[in-house]
């Protein structure tokens, strides 16, 4: 997922939004080594924080599955 975010130009925004809180920082570091679920509440919160629509989130996850 990180590579897909990087290719989409969203990695810096997502990382900054995630690291803005202690809970987000823990999630960010954990997510780097585990499977990230599209419907996880934190994924939805991050997407909302950076202005992504549900369709855009779906597209990012669909692209990530092809890598």
């Amino acid at each position: 997922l990180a590579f897909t975010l990087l290719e989409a130009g969203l990695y810096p925004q997502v990382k900054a939004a995630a690291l803005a809180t202690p809970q987000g920082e823990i999630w960010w570091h954990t997510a780097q080594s585990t499977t990230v679920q599209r419907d996880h509440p934190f994924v939805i919160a991050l997407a909302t924080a950076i202005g992504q629509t549900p369709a855009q989130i779906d597209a990012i996850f669909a692209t990530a599955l092809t890598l």
Side-chain angles (χ1 to χ4, degrees):
L1 187 59
F3 289 113
T4 304
L5 292 172
L6 187 62
E7 288 179 5
L10 297 172
Y11 186 86
Q13 291 173 283
V14 173
K15 183 176 180 181
L19 298 178
T21 67
Q23 296 89 347
E25 184 174 354
I26 292 167
W27 187 89
W28 179 259
H29 293 296
T30 303
Q32 301 303 309
S33 62
T34 62
T35 301
V36 177
Q37 298 296 318
R38 160 63 180 90
D39 60 349
H40 191 283
F42 199 69
V43 169
I44 295 167
L46 286 175
T48 301
I50 66 165
Q52 295 294 295
T53 66
Q56 289 170 309
I57 301 167
D58 291 342
I60 289 167
F61 274 81
T63 300
L65 288 173
T66 67
L67 299 178

